[in-house]
Amino acid sequence: MGTVIGIDLGTTNSVVAICEESGSEVIINPEGSKTTPSVVFFPPDGECVVGDLAKRQEIINPERTVRSIKRFMGCRWQESEAKREGITYPLKPNEAGMVTVAFREGVLTPEEVCAKILRSLRKAAESRLGRKIDQAVITVPAYFNDTQRQATKDAGALAGLTVLRIINEPTAAALAYGLGHERHETVAVFDLGGGTFDISLLEIDHDVFEVRSTAGDNFLGGDNFDAALANWIIGEIEREVGVDPRTDSQSHQRIRDAAEKIKCELSSLEKTEINLPFIVSDKTGPKHFVRTIIREEFEAIIEPLARRIIPPCKQALRDANLIPADIDSVILVGGSTRIPMVQRLVTQIFGREPLHTVNPDEVVAMGAAVQGSILTGDIQEVLLLDVTPLSLGIELEGGLFKVLIPRNSSIPTTASRTFTTMRDNQRAVTVHVLQGERKVAMENRSLAKFRLTGIRPAPRDVPEIEVTFHIDANGILSVSAEDLSTAARQEITVESIAALAPDEIERMILESKTHSIEDEEFAKRYEARQNADVLRDKFDHFLTLHGDEIDDRDKKEMREALEQLEASIDANDPIGIEDGRQTVMAYIRQYADLFYIHSMATQAEGGEGKKKTHHDGLPTGDSPSAPGEPGTESDDEDE
């Protein structure tokens, strides 16, 4: 298959590595560094510049220097407000509502900008190896959604690379760390980079790498620490000088650069100096800002942000059914893990000092290179089992969320389930794909909707519609629906209608716990309505066929009871449903012998000894404001 490079496409810095017989090696870029700033400078005319040279342009050309573009990959404009804070280059939505970079000469998508970075890394690898490279494994945060993963693949294609695999950053780090370890170990990979935070718990058993759980924050990283410190410096300048430096884009960028530098310095020093000459001007002339800042001040500024790492870590432990004492090693990934306060919090959470044996800037790219060698067959007998972070499923008629792939399922994976129609002669169903942990469908995150048409006309509950979810090794979801009798089929690759907001995953998981009681009540009401619906249909059928054998007065009362049950089901009235069900059951007991004969005859219609099975029903999509009634997968117990 040829050489496959591993690329850590980071928010702040990117790294490229290869894996050869001697092991993984990080490739040095033309500037002599192993890390390349994820910054691209676009001059008004001429070729763009990537990396350190581009970063030097930020102060004098902030409007044409693009940084942190990874945050806008697969991101809709309406979801990007918080991410746009502090961005100095022009952004605007395109016709599809996605974020783009808008220069006077034209518009660029985030994928096109990232392709410039990837192409630069590819060229560095080709220079090192002396041959053309066109295959890569690229890493992404574990909590990147389907749209963001697909955007990353698209960026690779624009850079002339065939992306063989998209792999989660913590998983890549575990591969680099655990390859060749002849022991059983449970590790926590703590990944705090420039733009995202991921925590993954993995079980490494010789050559088997199994992800037990993953959690994180899609909008927490070094950029946030920089922004918090920059805002503090701006406040100090305003207090001391009386002028807001944000009115000048170059001054604002100088402060952002100073904040990043101070953050790095205070990771190893107890104090440092903020020195910003000529930072602002007033009527009396230019003003300077010089001040000493100590580590304790910096930690007080970032503490609210830093403490956001705690809930995802605890969530990951709960999801894996582990306690801190079960963790053998904690691996730090990402430059922001060098901050002493972060390391102290990690020690408190897991009850042990994190390892310092791997380079946090390089380990992800090295793991991606290892994955590349696994795909080419150069490294054999290594099994990697990654997971999906949230449950995936569809909405049933009546509003229940039906999970097909549970949270933290190993991927790649496929799950299929058979559903049915809810109306006689229904010709189409709507498949509403959702992601989340709530049993109430509308409380989860909508990913996509599509309609399956061409269903064979038949009584309700007869057609069989198979819905299949497939998550590939890149974590990208595809969904198909097929009418098993007509072979009518519809399939889509899911594209999220909105990028995940900050703390979205944690919020969804916590809400599922907070609302667990009311969700259970909703599920019970749903099941009661489901069973009553089945009972209504069978009782109606019974009266139609055997009405002549029933006393006229009883038959009239039975019809009234049936109408009352139908009205309660239509109104979704749980008390009325239960009362109506009890009334109908009383008549069934009164005419038990006759109803028993009817039930045996009904079963015989479906075959010797075969019970008629009712499946969950899919919505038609014709009347979204007035949902129909769901089916059930088991016969009514009372019958």
Side-chain angles (χ1 to χ4, degrees):
M1 291 180 64
T3 302
V4 180
I5 55 175
I7 296 177
D8 173 12
L9 180 62
T11 305
T12 306
N13 293 293
S14 295
V15 184
V16 58
I18 57 171
C19 186
E20 297 184 313
E21 291 183 2
S22 58
S24 297
E25 174 191 347
V26 172
I27 293 171
I28 296 174
N29 63 25
E31 287 76 39
S33 175
K34 290 185 176 182
T35 59
T36 299
S38 301
V39 182
V40 186
F41 170 59
F42 293 90
D45 49 16
E47 290 293 320
C48 67
V49 179
V50 177
D52 287 304
L53 295 177
K55 191 173 182 180
R56 293 171 197 162
Q57 294 289 332
E58 278 192 286
I59 293 177
I60 56 176
N61 289 295
E63 297 87 357
R64 302 195 67 87
T65 306
V66 179
R67 59 176 175 81
S68 300
I69 192 63
K70 180 178 173 180
R71 283 188 163 177
F72 300 108
M73 294 277 279
C75 179
R76 294 182 70 87
W77 180 262
Q78 64 188 28
E79 301 292 332
S80 68
E81 182 177 355
K83 298 181 181 183
R84 299 198 304 268
E85 182 180 353
I87 296 298
T88 55
Y89 49 90
L91 296 170
K92 76 171 187 179
N94 61 11
E95 293 180 356
M98 307 300 288
V99 176
T100 61
V101 182
F103 296 123
R104 288 193 304 272
E105 316 79 80
V107 173
L108 293 169
T109 64
E111 293 90 326
E112 289 174 303
V113 178
C114 282
K116 306 290 186 186
I117 301 168
L118 293 172
R119 189 175 293 114
S120 173
L121 299 172
R122 171 192 170 189
K123 288 181 178 178
E126 289 177 337
S127 176
R128 156 68 176 79
L129 297 172
R131 59 180 179 273
K132 182 177 175 60
I133 293 174
D134 58 8
Q135 299 179 110
V137 171
I138 302 178
T139 64
V140 296
Y143 271 68
F144 253 28
N145 61 36
D146 301 297
T147 306
Q148 292 167 311
R149 291 171 187 270
Q150 188 60 55
T152 304
K153 291 191 74 174
D154 293 342
L158 291 171
L161 291 166
T162 299
V163 182
L164 300 180
R165 185 66 52 86
I166 297 290
I167 182 174
N168 291 340
E169 290 165 1
T171 308
L175 268 179
Y177 164 78
L179 188 66
H181 283 208
E182 296 297 323
R183 61 179 181 270
H184 182 277
E185 190 174 7
T186 302
V187 301
V189 181
F190 183 95
D191 184 357
L192 184 62
T196 57
F197 166 58
D198 289 313
I199 176 68
S200 291
L201 305 182
L202 298 95
E203 192 168 346
I204 303 175
D205 190 0
H206 296 81
D207 292 325
V208 177
F209 293 72
E210 180 181 3
V211 181
R212 295 283 301 274
S213 66
T214 187
D217 188 328
N218 223 22
F219 193 37
L220 175 65
D223 281 1
N224 301 89
F225 299 145
D226 295 346
L229 181 55
N231 289 336
W232 180 83
I233 293 172
I234 288 167
E236 291 295 296
I237 292 173
E238 285 188 285
R239 184 178 61 80
E240 184 174 308
V241 182
V243 178
D244 185 355
R246 288 170 293 193
T247 57
D248 180 79
S249 60
Q250 290 190 5
S251 294
H252 193 192
Q253 186 56 49
R254 285 178 62 196
I255 293 171
R256 289 294 297 261
D257 284 354
E260 182 182 4
K261 179 172 177 286
I262 291 163
K263 175 190 70 178
C264 295
E265 290 177 350
L266 290 176
S267 293
S268 56
L269 302 174
E270 291 295 331
K271 63 180 180 179
T272 189
E273 186 177 73
I274 308 170
N275 193 340
L276 294 166
F278 306 101
I279 191 63
V280 292
S281 297
D282 60 15
K283 294 179 181 179
T284 63
K287 303 294 181 183
H288 314 300
F289 180 75
V290 180
R291 188 188 190 283
T292 297
I293 180 172
I294 61 175
R295 182 184 289 174
E296 285 77 7
E297 286 179 297
F298 169 64
E299 291 182 346
I301 293 166
I302 68 165
E303 183 176 9
L305 290 167
R307 296 193 70 82
R308 279 167 52 183
I309 68 175
I310 298 174
C313 290
K314 292 184 175 181
Q315 182 65 52
L317 286 167
R318 285 194 298 269
D319 289 345
N321 293 318
L322 297 172
I323 60 174
D326 296 325
I327 304 301
D328 299 304
S329 301
V330 181
I331 305 167
L332 298 180
V333 178
S336 296
T337 59
R338 291 188 171 92
I339 298 173
M341 183 180 203
V342 171
Q343 294 186 10
R344 291 200 305 272
L345 286 171
V346 171
T347 301
Q348 292 171 14
I349 295 167
F350 294 102
R352 65 178 61 250
E353 289 278 346
L355 296 178
H356 297 278
T357 55
V358 296
N359 187 312
D361 296 324
E362 302 172 6
V363 67
V364 170
M366 293 171 69
V370 170
Q371 177 66 28
S373 290
I374 293 171
L375 294 175
T376 61
D378 294 335
I379 296 178
Q380 298 180 354
E381 298 180 356
V382 172
L383 178 62
L384 175 60
L385 302 172
D386 216 332
V387 297
T388 182
L390 283 174
S391 298
L392 294 158
I394 63 174
E395 178 181 2
L396 299 182
E397 189 77 11
L400 190 72
F401 178 49
K402 191 72 169 182
V403 173
L404 272 78
I405 299 179
R407 180 172 94 245
N408 284 321
S409 295
S410 295
I411 59 174
T413 187
T414 299
S416 294
R417 199 175 186 104
T418 302
F419 300 89
T420 190
T421 55
M422 299 314 299
R423 299 179 187 175
D424 291 341
N425 301 316
Q426 187 174 323
R427 301 298 302 269
V429 295
T430 294
V431 179
H432 185 193
V433 184
L434 299 136
Q435 182 183 44
E437 303 306 320
R438 297 290 301 277
K439 292 186 177 181
V440 184
M442 65 181 293
E443 299 296 339
N444 293 306
R445 181 167 174 262
S446 177
L447 296 181
K449 279 186 180 182
F450 67 92
R451 282 176 64 78
L452 173 66
T453 59
I455 298 173
R456 175 176 59 86
R460 54 173 286 180
D461 202 33
V462 171
E464 293 185 308
I465 301 156
E466 185 176 70
V467 177
T468 300
F469 277 41
H470 174 69
I471 304 179
D472 66 16
N474 298 312
I476 295 173
L477 171 67
S478 60
V479 181
S480 66
E482 180 179 1
D483 180 0
L484 297 182
S485 63
T486 66
R489 181 180 174 85
Q490 181 72 31
E491 182 173 4
I492 63 167
T493 297
V494 173
E495 293 186 358
S496 303
I497 61 171
L500 288 172
D503 299 327
E504 185 77 2
I505 301 294
E506 182 67 19
R507 178 189 64 78
M508 294 170 78
I509 293 173
L510 288 176
E511 281 189 358
S512 73
K513 297 179 183 298
T514 303
H515 298 280
S516 61
I517 296 177
E518 61 191 80
D519 280 2
E520 287 296 333
E521 290 298 320
F522 176 84
K524 288 178 182 177
R525 291 195 302 271
Y526 174 92
E527 186 175 354
R529 178 178 171 178
Q530 197 177 39
N531 292 335
D533 195 29
V534 173
L535 182 62
R536 174 192 63 180
D537 287 350
K538 293 190 175 182
F539 191 57
D540 184 43
H541 188 222
F542 166 72
L543 285 177
T544 301
L545 294 181
H546 301 280
D548 293 341
E549 303 170 59
I550 299 174
D551 178 84
D552 287 343
R553 180 178 176 181
D554 283 350
K555 185 166 63 176
K556 179 176 180 296
E557 291 178 353
M558 285 181 177
R559 285 290 179 191
E560 290 175 351
L562 186 63
E563 290 172 2
Q564 183 60 45
L565 179 59
E566 288 176 343
S568 297
I569 291 173
D570 290 340
N572 198 19
D573 174 11
I575 296 176
I577 288 173
E578 178 58 23
D579 290 344
R581 193 185 70 83
Q582 292 290 349
T583 302
V584 169
M585 289 304 304
Y587 285 115
I588 288 176
R589 284 189 286 270
Q590 182 178 342
Y591 289 90
D593 293 342
L594 188 59
F595 198 86
Y596 177 77
I597 294 171
H598 167 79
S599 297
M600 292 301 99
T602 302
Q603 288 181 24
E605 291 175 7
E608 184 75 24
K610 181 178 178 181
K611 297 180 72 177
K612 181 174 175 61
T613 301
H614 292 262
H615 300 286
D616 290 321
L618 296 173
T620 65
D622 296 331
S623 304
S625 60
E629 306 304 325
T632 179
E633 290 189 288
S634 60
D635 292 325
D636 186 81
E637 292 179 2
D638 290 313
E639 188 187 336

